[in-house]
């Protein structure tokens, strides 16, 4: 019982801790102006231009921390706060999303692999819990195992996301330094924003792996009965 409670606490607390780190870093550096005076949109457009990428648009989007790169439509979408403001947080996040656009332009292997996994992972995530629950209720090891296989695809997607995100952040730092967008004393602050954002992906992958481990343990126990 104690182990179960510890496990459940980990599932809840790990994502909450990661989110709190992101929000704290974002809130702090959203109130710190960058030295260049460039908005997130300007930073994104400059990096794209410096890399000879002219087929990617930069657009504002509603919501908070809704920033992302859409490879299917070749568009970097920045939350309005980051699109229009010239803060350390805005330049960090904008450069990170453009990092994904550069990955796309260079056919970065992990990005391609993640994109190919996306539909399978989405299906797996939706079906896995139904199959696992049905397998337990109907005492069907076949359905239980099928659920684990589907869930494994979703876990693999989370794990593959890690190198994609870390690489995008590394590219972001290299680009904003090489293009002279940030000054030397801003490197540490910008990296803090990028590192905090990366924690959310680490937390998601860790929780997914823990869940997969639990399902496998349950399957082994039921199959031995």
């Amino acid at each position: 019982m104690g182990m179960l409670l510890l496990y459940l606490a980990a599932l809840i607390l790990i994502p909450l801790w990661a989110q709190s780190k992101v929000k704290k870093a974002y809130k702090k550096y959203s109130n710190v102006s960058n030295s260049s005076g460039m908005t997130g949109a300007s930073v994104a457009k400059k990096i794209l231009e410096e890399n000879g990428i002219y087929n990617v648009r930069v657009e504002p989007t509603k919501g908070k921390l809704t920033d992302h790169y859409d490879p299917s439509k070749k568009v970097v979408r920045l939350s309005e706060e980051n699109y229009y403001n010239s803060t350390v947080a805005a330049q960090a996040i904008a450069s990170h999303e453009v990092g994904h656009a550069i990955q796309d332009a260079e056919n970065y292997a992990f990005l391609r692999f993640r994109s190919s996994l996306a539909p399978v992972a989405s299906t797996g995530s939706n079906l896995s819990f139904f199959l696992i629950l049905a397998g337990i209720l109907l005492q069907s090891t076949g359905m239980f195992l099928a659920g684990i296989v589907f869930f494994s695809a979703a876990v693999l997607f989370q794990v593959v996301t890690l190198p994609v995100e870390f690489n995008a952040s590394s590219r972001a730092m290299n680009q904003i330094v090489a293009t002279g967008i940030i000054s030397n004393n801003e490197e540490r602050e910008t990296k803090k924003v990028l590192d905090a954002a990366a924690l959310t992906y680490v937390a998601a992958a860790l929780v997914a792996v823990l869940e997969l481990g639990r399902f496998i343990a349950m399957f082994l126990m039921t199959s031995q009965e």
Side-chain angles (χ1 to χ4, degrees):
M1 186 65 180
M3 288 299 294
L4 177 60
L5 291 175
L6 184 63
Y7 169 79
L8 292 174
L11 289 186
I12 296 170
L13 294 178
I14 290 173
L16 288 177
W17 172 75
Q19 285 294 330
S20 69
K21 294 287 287 185
V22 173
K23 289 179 180 178
K24 183 178 179 181
Y26 182 74
K27 182 178 180 180
K28 179 178 180 180
Y29 293 109
S30 287
N31 293 311
V32 178
S33 298
N34 60 43
S35 59
S36 68
M38 296 175 67
T39 64
S42 298
V43 168
K45 291 173 183 177
K46 180 174 177 61
I47 296 174
L48 288 169
E49 185 178 337
E50 289 288 334
N51 285 271
I53 301 174
Y54 301 104
N55 64 334
V56 173
R57 304 188 312 278
V58 181
E59 300 176 349
T61 188
K62 299 288 185 181
K64 195 176 187 70
L65 291 175
T66 50
D67 315 80
H68 64 281
Y69 171 63
D70 184 343
S72 64
K73 296 185 178 178
K74 305 295 183 187
V75 56
V76 170
R77 296 192 180 96
L78 301 176
S79 58
E80 292 181 339
E81 187 173 11
N82 291 325
Y83 186 93
Y84 294 109
N85 290 337
S86 52
T87 64
V88 169
Q91 71 183 8
I93 292 172
S95 59
H96 174 87
E97 298 309 333
V98 175
H100 288 307
I102 297 173
Q103 289 175 338
D104 189 20
E106 295 181 357
N107 288 311
Y108 180 58
F110 280 109
L111 181 66
R112 289 281 173 262
F113 185 37
R114 186 179 72 166
S115 297
S116 66
L117 276 176
V120 179
S122 178
T123 301
S125 181
N126 292 330
L127 280 179
S128 60
F129 290 104
F130 171 77
L131 288 171
I132 289 170
L133 181 60
I136 293 172
L137 295 176
L138 299 175
Q139 298 184 332
S140 169
T141 55
M143 293 185 74
F144 200 152
L145 183 59
I148 290 175
V149 171
F150 274 111
F151 188 71
S152 296
V155 173
L156 181 59
F157 179 83
Q158 294 288 354
V159 173
V160 171
T161 292
L162 294 180
V164 173
E165 296 300 330
F166 287 136
N167 180 263
S169 288
S170 177
R171 289 172 187 266
M173 285 301 302
N174 291 338
Q175 289 295 323
I176 55 181
V177 170
T179 55
I181 291 173
I182 64 173
S183 59
N184 290 336
N185 64 336
E186 282 182 320
E187 288 186 37
R188 186 165 171 269
E189 297 175 331
T190 303
K191 193 171 186 305
K192 283 184 178 181
V193 177
L194 293 172
D195 288 347
L199 283 177
T200 60
Y201 298 102
V202 174
L206 181 57
V207 168
V209 169
L210 285 173
E211 277 283 76
L212 178 60
R214 181 171 72 95
F215 290 146
I216 292 174
M218 289 171 60
F219 175 77
L220 292 175
M221 289 175 63
T222 56
S223 61
Q224 290 173 359
E225 291 177 355

